[in-house]
PDB file of all heavy atoms in Angstrom:
ATOM      1  N   LYS A 576       0.833  -1.200   0.000  1.00  0.00           N
ATOM      2  CA  LYS A 576       0.000   0.000   0.000  1.00  0.00           C
ATOM      3  C   LYS A 576       0.860   1.240   0.000  1.00  0.00           C
ATOM      4  O   LYS A 576       1.912   1.230   0.604  1.00  0.00           O
ATOM      5  CB  LYS A 576      -0.915   0.008   1.234  1.00  0.00           C
ATOM      6  CG  LYS A 576      -2.313  -0.369   0.902  1.00  0.00           C
ATOM      7  CD  LYS A 576      -3.247  -0.172   2.056  1.00  0.00           C
ATOM      8  CE  LYS A 576      -4.618  -0.581   1.579  1.00  0.00           C
ATOM      9  NZ  LYS A 576      -5.607  -0.706   2.573  1.00  0.00           N
ATOM     10  N   PRO A 577       0.417   2.297  -0.666  1.00  0.00           N
ATOM     11  CA  PRO A 577      -0.887   2.412  -1.278  1.00  0.00           C
ATOM     12  C   PRO A 577      -0.935   1.875  -2.703  1.00  0.00           C
ATOM     13  O   PRO A 577      -1.905   1.239  -3.083  1.00  0.00           O
ATOM     14  CB  PRO A 577      -1.178   3.907  -1.236  1.00  0.00           C
ATOM     15  CG  PRO A 577       0.155   4.555  -1.311  1.00  0.00           C
ATOM     16  CD  PRO A 577       1.094   3.597  -0.600  1.00  0.00           C
ATOM     17  N   ASN A 578       0.065   2.105  -3.531  1.00  0.00           N
ATOM     18  CA  ASN A 578      -0.037   1.703  -4.939  1.00  0.00           C
ATOM     19  C   ASN A 578       1.269   1.156  -5.511  1.00  0.00           C
ATOM     20  O   ASN A 578       1.561   1.371  -6.683  1.00  0.00           O
ATOM     21  CB  ASN A 578      -0.517   2.884  -5.794  1.00  0.00           C
ATOM     22  CG  ASN A 578      -1.922   3.283  -5.460  1.00  0.00           C
ATOM     23  OD1 ASN A 578      -2.776   2.443  -5.205  1.00  0.00           O
ATOM     24  ND2 ASN A 578      -2.166   4.582  -5.438  1.00  0.00           N
ATOM     25  N   ARG A 579       2.034   0.481  -4.710  1.00  0.00           N
ATOM     26  CA  ARG A 579       3.247  -0.147  -5.235  1.00  0.00           C
ATOM     27  C   ARG A 579       2.887  -1.584  -5.602  1.00  0.00           C
ATOM     28  O   ARG A 579       2.516  -2.378  -4.745  1.00  0.00           O
ATOM     29  CB  ARG A 579       4.374  -0.092  -4.221  1.00  0.00           C
ATOM     30  CG  ARG A 579       4.809   1.364  -3.944  1.00  0.00           C
ATOM     31  CD  ARG A 579       5.877   1.443  -2.885  1.00  0.00           C
ATOM     32  NE  ARG A 579       7.056   0.672  -3.203  1.00  0.00           N
ATOM     33  CZ  ARG A 579       8.111   1.125  -3.880  1.00  0.00           C
ATOM     34  NH1 ARG A 579       8.138   2.360  -4.292  1.00  0.00           N
ATOM     35  NH2 ARG A 579       9.143   0.349  -4.116  1.00  0.00           N
ATOM     36  N   VAL A 580       2.993  -1.893  -6.898  1.00  0.00           N
ATOM     37  CA  VAL A 580       2.502  -3.166  -7.412  1.00  0.00           C
ATOM     38  C   VAL A 580       3.468  -3.723  -8.449  1.00  0.00           C
ATOM     39  O   VAL A 580       4.062  -2.974  -9.226  1.00  0.00           O
ATOM     40  CB  VAL A 580       1.127  -2.964  -8.095  1.00  0.00           C
ATOM     41  CG1 VAL A 580       0.686  -4.194  -8.838  1.00  0.00           C
ATOM     42  CG2 VAL A 580       0.085  -2.525  -7.107  1.00  0.00           C
ATOM     43  N   ARG A 581       3.593  -5.047  -8.445  1.00  0.00           N
ATOM     44  CA  ARG A 581       4.255  -5.763  -9.538  1.00  0.00           C
ATOM     45  C   ARG A 581       3.415  -7.000  -9.814  1.00  0.00           C
ATOM     46  O   ARG A 581       3.157  -7.796  -8.911  1.00  0.00           O
ATOM     47  CB  ARG A 581       5.669  -6.180  -9.163  1.00  0.00           C
ATOM     48  CG  ARG A 581       6.382  -6.912 -10.302  1.00  0.00           C
ATOM     49  CD  ARG A 581       7.789  -7.354  -9.860  1.00  0.00           C
ATOM     50  NE  ARG A 581       8.492  -7.995 -10.923  1.00  0.00           N
ATOM     51  CZ  ARG A 581       8.375  -9.292 -11.236  1.00  0.00           C
ATOM     52  NH1 ARG A 581       7.552 -10.067 -10.554  1.00  0.00           N
ATOM     53  NH2 ARG A 581       9.070  -9.801 -12.228  1.00  0.00           N
ATOM     54  N   PHE A 582       2.967  -7.136 -11.040  1.00  0.00           N
ATOM     55  CA  PHE A 582       2.201  -8.309 -11.457  1.00  0.00           C
ATOM     56  C   PHE A 582       2.874  -8.876 -12.699  1.00  0.00           C
ATOM     57  O   PHE A 582       2.988  -8.194 -13.715  1.00  0.00           O
ATOM     58  CB  PHE A 582       0.742  -7.945 -11.764  1.00  0.00           C
ATOM     59  CG  PHE A 582      -0.098  -9.141 -12.102  1.00  0.00           C
ATOM     60  CD1 PHE A 582      -0.698  -9.873 -11.097  1.00  0.00           C
ATOM     61  CD2 PHE A 582      -0.249  -9.544 -13.411  1.00  0.00           C
ATOM     62  CE1 PHE A 582      -1.446 -10.991 -11.406  1.00  0.00           C
ATOM     63  CE2 PHE A 582      -0.993 -10.659 -13.729  1.00  0.00           C
ATOM     64  CZ  PHE A 582      -1.594 -11.389 -12.725  1.00  0.00           C
ATOM     65  N   ALA A 583       3.354 -10.111 -12.619  1.00  0.00           N
ATOM     66  CA  ALA A 583       4.061 -10.746 -13.735  1.00  0.00           C
ATOM     67  C   ALA A 583       3.355 -12.044 -14.109  1.00  0.00           C
ATOM     68  O   ALA A 583       2.768 -12.706 -13.255  1.00  0.00           O
ATOM     69  CB  ALA A 583       5.506 -11.034 -13.348  1.00  0.00           C
ATOM     70  N   TRP A 584       3.434 -12.413 -15.377  1.00  0.00           N
ATOM     71  CA  TRP A 584       2.814 -13.662 -15.823  1.00  0.00           C
ATOM     72  C   TRP A 584       3.582 -14.262 -16.992  1.00  0.00           C
ATOM     73  O   TRP A 584       4.305 -13.582 -17.713  1.00  0.00           O
ATOM     74  CB  TRP A 584       1.351 -13.446 -16.197  1.00  0.00           C
ATOM     75  CG  TRP A 584       1.155 -12.644 -17.453  1.00  0.00           C
ATOM     76  CD1 TRP A 584       0.971 -13.119 -18.718  1.00  0.00           C
ATOM     77  CD2 TRP A 584       1.170 -11.219 -17.568  1.00  0.00           C
ATOM     78  NE1 TRP A 584       0.857 -12.076 -19.600  1.00  0.00           N
ATOM     79  CE2 TRP A 584       0.973 -10.905 -18.918  1.00  0.00           C
ATOM     80  CE3 TRP A 584       1.328 -10.177 -16.656  1.00  0.00           C
ATOM     81  CZ2 TRP A 584       0.932  -9.598 -19.391  1.00  0.00           C
ATOM     82  CZ3 TRP A 584       1.286  -8.883 -17.115  1.00  0.00           C
ATOM     83  CH2 TRP A 584       1.082  -8.604 -18.464  1.00  0.00           C
ATOM     84  N   THR A 585       3.405 -15.554 -17.138  1.00  0.00           N
ATOM     85  CA  THR A 585       3.934 -16.310 -18.265  1.00  0.00           C
ATOM     86  C   THR A 585       2.782 -17.124 -18.824  1.00  0.00           C
ATOM     87  O   THR A 585       2.091 -17.822 -18.084  1.00  0.00           O
ATOM     88  CB  THR A 585       5.065 -17.260 -17.821  1.00  0.00           C
ATOM     89  OG1 THR A 585       6.104 -16.486 -17.233  1.00  0.00           O
ATOM     90  CG2 THR A 585       5.614 -18.052 -18.996  1.00  0.00           C
ATOM     91  N   SER A 586       2.560 -17.028 -20.121  1.00  0.00           N
ATOM     92  CA  SER A 586       1.448 -17.747 -20.738  1.00  0.00           C
ATOM     93  C   SER A 586       1.961 -18.709 -21.805  1.00  0.00           C
ATOM     94  O   SER A 586       3.002 -18.484 -22.419  1.00  0.00           O
ATOM     95  CB  SER A 586       0.441 -16.769 -21.351  1.00  0.00           C
ATOM     96  OG  SER A 586       1.061 -15.981 -22.337  1.00  0.00           O
ATOM     97  N   GLU A 587       1.171 -19.778 -21.988  1.00  0.00           N
ATOM     98  CA  GLU A 587       1.545 -20.796 -22.968  1.00  0.00           C
ATOM     99  C   GLU A 587       0.278 -21.479 -23.475  1.00  0.00           C
ATOM    100  O   GLU A 587      -0.618 -21.809 -22.699  1.00  0.00           O
ATOM    101  CB  GLU A 587       2.463 -21.819 -22.306  1.00  0.00           C
ATOM    102  CG  GLU A 587       2.956 -22.908 -23.216  1.00  0.00           C
ATOM    103  CD  GLU A 587       3.941 -23.851 -22.521  1.00  0.00           C
ATOM    104  OE1 GLU A 587       4.024 -23.845 -21.276  1.00  0.00           O
ATOM    105  OE2 GLU A 587       4.615 -24.589 -23.233  1.00  0.00           O
ATOM    106  N   TYR A 588       0.206 -21.669 -24.790  1.00  0.00           N
ATOM    107  CA  TYR A 588      -0.877 -22.430 -25.408  1.00  0.00           C
ATOM    108  C   TYR A 588      -0.415 -23.870 -25.601  1.00  0.00           C
ATOM    109  O   TYR A 588       0.739 -24.111 -25.952  1.00  0.00           O
ATOM    110  CB  TYR A 588      -1.249 -21.865 -26.784  1.00  0.00           C
ATOM    111  CG  TYR A 588      -2.082 -20.620 -26.738  1.00  0.00           C
ATOM    112  CD1 TYR A 588      -1.505 -19.370 -26.905  1.00  0.00           C
ATOM    113  CD2 TYR A 588      -3.454 -20.687 -26.541  1.00  0.00           C
ATOM    114  CE1 TYR A 588      -2.272 -18.211 -26.883  1.00  0.00           C
ATOM    115  CE2 TYR A 588      -4.236 -19.540 -26.520  1.00  0.00           C
ATOM    116  CZ  TYR A 588      -3.630 -18.314 -26.687  1.00  0.00           C
ATOM    117  OH  TYR A 588      -4.391 -17.180 -26.652  1.00  0.00           O
ATOM    118  N   SER A 589      -1.322 -24.818 -25.420  1.00  0.00           N
ATOM    119  CA  SER A 589      -0.950 -26.227 -25.579  1.00  0.00           C
ATOM    120  C   SER A 589      -0.565 -26.567 -27.020  1.00  0.00           C
ATOM    121  O   SER A 589       0.203 -27.492 -27.247  1.00  0.00           O
ATOM    122  CB  SER A 589      -2.098 -27.134 -25.123  1.00  0.00           C
ATOM    123  OG  SER A 589      -3.260 -26.894 -25.895  1.00  0.00           O
ATOM    124  N   TYR A 590      -1.072 -25.818 -27.992  1.00  0.00           N
ATOM    125  CA  TYR A 590      -0.738 -26.135 -29.380  1.00  0.00           C
ATOM    126  C   TYR A 590       0.644 -25.611 -29.784  1.00  0.00           C
ATOM    127  O   TYR A 590       1.128 -25.915 -30.871  1.00  0.00           O
ATOM    128  CB  TYR A 590      -1.819 -25.659 -30.358  1.00  0.00           C
ATOM    129  CG  TYR A 590      -2.036 -24.163 -30.427  1.00  0.00           C
ATOM    130  CD1 TYR A 590      -1.217 -23.338 -31.197  1.00  0.00           C
ATOM    131  CD2 TYR A 590      -3.093 -23.575 -29.736  1.00  0.00           C
ATOM    132  CE1 TYR A 590      -1.425 -21.975 -31.256  1.00  0.00           C
ATOM    133  CE2 TYR A 590      -3.314 -22.214 -29.798  1.00  0.00           C
ATOM    134  CZ  TYR A 590      -2.478 -21.423 -30.554  1.00  0.00           C
ATOM    135  OH  TYR A 590      -2.696 -20.073 -30.608  1.00  0.00           O
ATOM    136  N   THR A 591       1.296 -24.841 -28.917  1.00  0.00           N
ATOM    137  CA  THR A 591       2.679 -24.404 -29.151  1.00  0.00           C
ATOM    138  C   THR A 591       3.504 -24.650 -27.889  1.00  0.00           C
ATOM    139  O   THR A 591       4.002 -23.705 -27.275  1.00  0.00           O
ATOM    140  CB  THR A 591       2.747 -22.913 -29.538  1.00  0.00           C
ATOM    141  OG1 THR A 591       2.107 -22.153 -28.515  1.00  0.00           O
ATOM    142  CG2 THR A 591       2.118 -22.641 -30.880  1.00  0.00           C
ATOM    143  N   PRO A 592       3.627 -25.920 -27.473  1.00  0.00           N
ATOM    144  CA  PRO A 592       4.339 -26.196 -26.218  1.00  0.00           C
ATOM    145  C   PRO A 592       5.767 -25.663 -26.267  1.00  0.00           C
ATOM    146  O   PRO A 592       6.448 -25.755 -27.288  1.00  0.00           O
ATOM    147  CB  PRO A 592       4.313 -27.715 -26.104  1.00  0.00           C
ATOM    148  CG  PRO A 592       3.785 -28.243 -27.382  1.00  0.00           C
ATOM    149  CD  PRO A 592       3.210 -27.109 -28.166  1.00  0.00           C
ATOM    150  N   GLY A 593       6.191 -25.091 -25.157  1.00  0.00           N
ATOM    151  CA  GLY A 593       7.536 -24.538 -25.059  1.00  0.00           C
ATOM    152  C   GLY A 593       7.634 -23.097 -25.508  1.00  0.00           C
ATOM    153  O   GLY A 593       8.585 -22.413 -25.181  1.00  0.00           O
ATOM    154  N   HIS A 594       6.653 -22.624 -26.266  1.00  0.00           N
ATOM    155  CA  HIS A 594       6.645 -21.232 -26.711  1.00  0.00           C
ATOM    156  C   HIS A 594       5.865 -20.413 -25.680  1.00  0.00           C
ATOM    157  O   HIS A 594       4.641 -20.478 -25.623  1.00  0.00           O
ATOM    158  CB  HIS A 594       6.012 -21.088 -28.090  1.00  0.00           C
ATOM    159  CG  HIS A 594       5.936 -19.672 -28.551  1.00  0.00           C
ATOM    160  ND1 HIS A 594       7.045 -18.969 -28.962  1.00  0.00           N
ATOM    161  CD2 HIS A 594       4.894 -18.809 -28.632  1.00  0.00           C
ATOM    162  CE1 HIS A 594       6.684 -17.733 -29.285  1.00  0.00           C
ATOM    163  NE2 HIS A 594       5.383 -17.616 -29.089  1.00  0.00           N
ATOM    164  N   LYS A 595       6.589 -19.691 -24.880  1.00  0.00           N
ATOM    165  CA  LYS A 595       5.958 -18.935 -23.801  1.00  0.00           C
ATOM    166  C   LYS A 595       6.066 -17.446 -24.069  1.00  0.00           C
ATOM    167  O   LYS A 595       7.030 -16.981 -24.661  1.00  0.00           O
ATOM    168  CB  LYS A 595       6.628 -19.267 -22.472  1.00  0.00           C
ATOM    169  CG  LYS A 595       6.476 -20.720 -22.095  1.00  0.00           C
ATOM    170  CD  LYS A 595       7.165 -21.048 -20.804  1.00  0.00           C
ATOM    171  CE  LYS A 595       6.982 -22.522 -20.497  1.00  0.00           C
ATOM    172  NZ  LYS A 595       7.615 -22.925 -19.267  1.00  0.00           N
ATOM    173  N   GLN A 596       5.045 -16.734 -23.611  1.00  0.00           N
ATOM    174  CA  GLN A 596       5.064 -15.281 -23.668  1.00  0.00           C
ATOM    175  C   GLN A 596       5.019 -14.772 -22.240  1.00  0.00           C
ATOM    176  O   GLN A 596       4.329 -15.339 -21.395  1.00  0.00           O
ATOM    177  CB  GLN A 596       3.886 -14.744 -24.469  1.00  0.00           C
ATOM    178  CG  GLN A 596       3.962 -15.128 -25.931  1.00  0.00           C
ATOM    179  CD  GLN A 596       2.818 -14.538 -26.729  1.00  0.00           C
ATOM    180  OE1 GLN A 596       1.839 -14.028 -26.197  1.00  0.00           O
ATOM    181  NE2 GLN A 596       2.943 -14.606 -28.035  1.00  0.00           N
ATOM    182  N   THR A 597       5.761 -13.721 -21.983  1.00  0.00           N
ATOM    183  CA  THR A 597       5.816 -13.171 -20.635  1.00  0.00           C
ATOM    184  C   THR A 597       5.391 -11.711 -20.651  1.00  0.00           C
ATOM    185  O   THR A 597       5.448 -11.035 -21.673  1.00  0.00           O
ATOM    186  CB  THR A 597       7.235 -13.271 -20.039  1.00  0.00           C
ATOM    187  OG1 THR A 597       8.127 -12.520 -20.866  1.00  0.00           O
ATOM    188  CG2 THR A 597       7.693 -14.713 -19.963  1.00  0.00           C
ATOM    189  N   GLY A 598       4.984 -11.263 -19.490  1.00  0.00           N
ATOM    190  CA  GLY A 598       4.623  -9.862 -19.333  1.00  0.00           C
ATOM    191  C   GLY A 598       4.734  -9.474 -17.877  1.00  0.00           C
ATOM    192  O   GLY A 598       4.689 -10.319 -16.981  1.00  0.00           O
ATOM    193  N   VAL A 599       4.911  -8.194 -17.665  1.00  0.00           N
ATOM    194  CA  VAL A 599       4.942  -7.663 -16.303  1.00  0.00           C
ATOM    195  C   VAL A 599       4.399  -6.242 -16.338  1.00  0.00           C
ATOM    196  O   VAL A 599       4.639  -5.501 -17.289  1.00  0.00           O
ATOM    197  CB  VAL A 599       6.363  -7.720 -15.695  1.00  0.00           C
ATOM    198  CG1 VAL A 599       7.347  -6.879 -16.482  1.00  0.00           C
ATOM    199  CG2 VAL A 599       6.359  -7.310 -14.235  1.00  0.00           C
ATOM    200  N   ILE A 600       3.595  -5.913 -15.340  1.00  0.00           N
ATOM    201  CA  ILE A 600       3.167  -4.534 -15.143  1.00  0.00           C
ATOM    202  C   ILE A 600       3.585  -4.147 -13.738  1.00  0.00           C
ATOM    203  O   ILE A 600       3.671  -4.995 -12.845  1.00  0.00           O
ATOM    204  CB  ILE A 600       1.648  -4.352 -15.337  1.00  0.00           C
ATOM    205  CG1 ILE A 600       0.841  -5.238 -14.392  1.00  0.00           C
ATOM    206  CG2 ILE A 600       1.263  -4.594 -16.789  1.00  0.00           C
ATOM    207  CD1 ILE A 600      -0.649  -4.986 -14.421  1.00  0.00           C
ATOM    208  N   TRP A 601       3.879  -2.868 -13.546  1.00  0.00           N
ATOM    209  CA  TRP A 601       4.281  -2.430 -12.224  1.00  0.00           C
ATOM    210  C   TRP A 601       4.003  -0.955 -12.056  1.00  0.00           C
ATOM    211  O   TRP A 601       3.810  -0.226 -13.023  1.00  0.00           O
ATOM    212  CB  TRP A 601       5.743  -2.756 -11.933  1.00  0.00           C
ATOM    213  CG  TRP A 601       6.752  -1.987 -12.738  1.00  0.00           C
ATOM    214  CD1 TRP A 601       7.405  -0.854 -12.361  1.00  0.00           C
ATOM    215  CD2 TRP A 601       7.239  -2.306 -14.048  1.00  0.00           C
ATOM    216  NE1 TRP A 601       8.268  -0.449 -13.362  1.00  0.00           N
ATOM    217  CE2 TRP A 601       8.182  -1.324 -14.404  1.00  0.00           C
ATOM    218  CE3 TRP A 601       6.957  -3.328 -14.961  1.00  0.00           C
ATOM    219  CZ2 TRP A 601       8.849  -1.343 -15.620  1.00  0.00           C
ATOM    220  CZ3 TRP A 601       7.624  -3.336 -16.173  1.00  0.00           C
ATOM    221  CH2 TRP A 601       8.556  -2.350 -16.482  1.00  0.00           C
ATOM    222  N   CYS A 602       3.949  -0.573 -10.793  1.00  0.00           N
ATOM    223  CA  CYS A 602       3.729   0.820 -10.437  1.00  0.00           C
ATOM    224  C   CYS A 602       4.565   1.106  -9.205  1.00  0.00           C
ATOM    225  O   CYS A 602       4.535   0.338  -8.235  1.00  0.00           O
ATOM    226  CB  CYS A 602       2.247   1.067 -10.156  1.00  0.00           C
ATOM    227  SG  CYS A 602       1.856   2.781  -9.723  1.00  0.00           S
ATOM    228  N   ASP A 603       5.313   2.195  -9.236  1.00  0.00           N
ATOM    229  CA  ASP A 603       6.160   2.584  -8.107  1.00  0.00           C
ATOM    230  C   ASP A 603       5.409   3.479  -7.120  1.00  0.00           C
ATOM    231  O   ASP A 603       5.995   4.065  -6.226  1.00  0.00           O
ATOM    232  CB  ASP A 603       7.422   3.284  -8.605  1.00  0.00           C
ATOM    233  CG  ASP A 603       7.136   4.555  -9.400  1.00  0.00           C
ATOM    234  OD1 ASP A 603       5.976   5.027  -9.410  1.00  0.00           O
ATOM    235  OD2 ASP A 603       8.077   5.076 -10.010  1.00  0.00           O
ATOM    236  N   GLY A 604       4.113   3.568  -7.289  1.00  0.00           N
ATOM    237  CA  GLY A 604       3.291   4.428  -6.454  1.00  0.00           C
ATOM    238  C   GLY A 604       2.842   5.661  -7.207  1.00  0.00           C
ATOM    239  O   GLY A 604       1.884   6.319  -6.813  1.00  0.00           O
ATOM    240  N   GLU A 605       3.553   5.983  -8.281  1.00  0.00           N
ATOM    241  CA  GLU A 605       3.196   7.146  -9.101  1.00  0.00           C
ATOM    242  C   GLU A 605       3.132   6.788 -10.579  1.00  0.00           C
ATOM    243  O   GLU A 605       2.129   7.011 -11.230  1.00  0.00           O
ATOM    244  CB  GLU A 605       4.197   8.271  -8.863  1.00  0.00           C
ATOM    245  CG  GLU A 605       4.148   8.819  -7.443  1.00  0.00           C
ATOM    246  CD  GLU A 605       5.162   9.922  -7.217  1.00  0.00           C
ATOM    247  OE1 GLU A 605       5.593  10.551  -8.203  1.00  0.00           O
ATOM    248  OE2 GLU A 605       5.502  10.155  -6.047  1.00  0.00           O
ATOM    249  N   SER A 606       4.211   6.237 -11.116  1.00  0.00           N
ATOM    250  CA  SER A 606       4.288   5.903 -12.539  1.00  0.00           C
ATOM    251  C   SER A 606       3.968   4.431 -12.756  1.00  0.00           C
ATOM    252  O   SER A 606       4.413   3.574 -12.001  1.00  0.00           O
ATOM    253  CB  SER A 606       5.688   6.178 -13.088  1.00  0.00           C
ATOM    254  OG  SER A 606       6.026   7.532 -12.911  1.00  0.00           O
ATOM    255  N   ALA A 607       3.203   4.154 -13.815  1.00  0.00           N
ATOM    256  CA  ALA A 607       2.859   2.775 -14.163  1.00  0.00           C
ATOM    257  C   ALA A 607       3.593   2.378 -15.440  1.00  0.00           C
ATOM    258  O   ALA A 607       3.791   3.209 -16.336  1.00  0.00           O
ATOM    259  CB  ALA A 607       1.355   2.647 -14.351  1.00  0.00           C
ATOM    260  N   TRP A 608       3.971   1.106 -15.503  1.00  0.00           N
ATOM    261  CA  TRP A 608       4.759   0.595 -16.612  1.00  0.00           C
ATOM    262  C   TRP A 608       4.271  -0.788 -17.019  1.00  0.00           C
ATOM    263  O   TRP A 608       3.639  -1.489 -16.245  1.00  0.00           O
ATOM    264  CB  TRP A 608       6.228   0.504 -16.204  1.00  0.00           C
ATOM    265  CG  TRP A 608       6.815   1.820 -15.842  1.00  0.00           C
ATOM    266  CD1 TRP A 608       6.720   2.469 -14.638  1.00  0.00           C
ATOM    267  CD2 TRP A 608       7.560   2.673 -16.691  1.00  0.00           C
ATOM    268  NE1 TRP A 608       7.371   3.675 -14.695  1.00  0.00           N
ATOM    269  CE2 TRP A 608       7.908   3.826 -15.942  1.00  0.00           C
ATOM    270  CE3 TRP A 608       7.984   2.577 -18.006  1.00  0.00           C
ATOM    271  CZ2 TRP A 608       8.644   4.862 -16.472  1.00  0.00           C
ATOM    272  CZ3 TRP A 608       8.732   3.619 -18.538  1.00  0.00           C
ATOM    273  CH2 TRP A 608       9.052   4.747 -17.775  1.00  0.00           C
ATOM    274  N   ALA A 609       4.635  -1.187 -18.242  1.00  0.00           N
ATOM    275  CA  ALA A 609       4.350  -2.532 -18.734  1.00  0.00           C
ATOM    276  C   ALA A 609       5.503  -2.977 -19.612  1.00  0.00           C
ATOM    277  O   ALA A 609       6.147  -2.157 -20.275  1.00  0.00           O
ATOM    278  CB  ALA A 609       3.051  -2.562 -19.522  1.00  0.00           C
TER     279      ALA A 609
END
């Protein structure tokens, strides 16, 4: 709290095993990024 956040993920479809896509979003309390 109040707004410091990091959310990260890795996604994969079964029809393309091993091919992963990643992403992360974050906020330092003021600026947001992706």
Side-chain angles (χ1 to χ4, degrees):
K576 257 188 180 169
N578 294 321
R579 295 177 57 89
V580 171
R581 181 182 182 276
F582 184 86
W584 70 95
T585 301
S586 60
E587 182 176 15
Y588 283 99
S589 60
Y590 64 82
T591 56
H594 178 73
K595 297 179 181 180
Q596 294 182 348
T597 61
V599 62
I600 58 173
W601 68 96
C602 181
D603 60 11
E605 295 179 23
S606 301
W608 299 82

